[in-house]
Amino acid sequence: MSTPSPLRISAALSAEYRARLMSVAHEVNFAEGAQIFTEGGRADRFWIVRTGTVTLDVHVPGSKSAVIESLGPGELVGWSWLFRPYTWQFGAEAMTPVRTDEFDAAAVRMMMDADPAFGSAIGHWVGQVLAHRLLAARIRLLDRYAPHGSGSRL
């Protein structure tokens, strides 16, 4: 028996908080190859994947962007909407046709401010996702750029 990932909404939030968050969602679909957002752009919304695969990437000057993670059903796409200056720190692309639930960031931040317990739950979830994504980015970039055999291990 496998344990649900604490990064997926189903494991991260109580049923009550999931329902409250989902009450402000609307479905948005992306075609395969669609750019969902680009690094440096305005982070004014976020998504939870329903079906399909989204990749996250980071710009590498003088090189092709480095893919740092693939996301699937139940996973959060975008965390920069929660932290000023609300600018995307990564890029995101639909690798397959993707169905998502989309959320207006300002509306969710207002809900969080209005109910501190709800806000704390969302903040902890996004914080866990953020920590995981930064570690994934570090590992991918070390794999790509660290000299092999240099002893540069985590």
Side-chain angles (χ1 to χ4, degrees):
M1 181 154 116
S2 65
T3 305
S5 168
L7 303 178
R8 284 188 165 73
I9 188 171
S10 59
L13 297 176
S14 69
E16 173 191 350
Y17 290 160
R18 281 194 315 270
R20 189 178 305 175
L21 182 62
M22 296 307 291
S23 73
V24 297
H26 66 277
E27 186 174 331
V28 173
N29 301 317
F30 297 96
E32 180 177 338
Q35 191 71 39
I36 298 171
F37 57 83
T38 56
E39 186 175 343
R42 188 169 150 241
D44 59 356
R45 65 198 71 216
F46 64 96
W47 303 263
I48 296 173
V49 177
R50 293 175 78 175
T51 63
T53 303
V54 173
T55 58
L56 299 177
D57 59 53
V58 63
H59 175 73
V60 179
S63 183
K64 184 179 165 189
S65 292
V67 172
I68 58 164
E69 193 164 20
S70 293
L71 307 176
E75 292 189 281
L76 176 67
V77 179
W79 52 262
S80 301
W81 61 273
L82 188 54
F83 304 101
R84 289 186 188 278
Y86 310 127
T87 302
W88 295 120
Q89 300 302 306
F90 298 131
E93 181 180 338
M95 293 310 292
T96 65
V98 176
R99 288 179 54 220
T100 69
D101 289 309
E102 183 179 85
F103 302 84
D104 176 86
V108 173
R109 287 192 304 265
M110 286 177 28
M111 291 169 63
M112 292 170 68
D113 289 345
D115 180 346
F118 175 76
S120 178
I122 298 289
H124 280 102
W125 172 44
V126 174
Q128 283 184 306
V129 169
L130 170 57
H132 174 80
R133 302 264 164 86
L134 291 176
L135 179 60
R138 180 173 187 245
I139 290 168
R140 290 290 177 115
L141 293 174
L142 283 173
D143 285 347
R144 186 171 175 172
Y145 296 106
H148 294 288
S150 69
S152 56
R153 297 187 160 248
L154 295 178

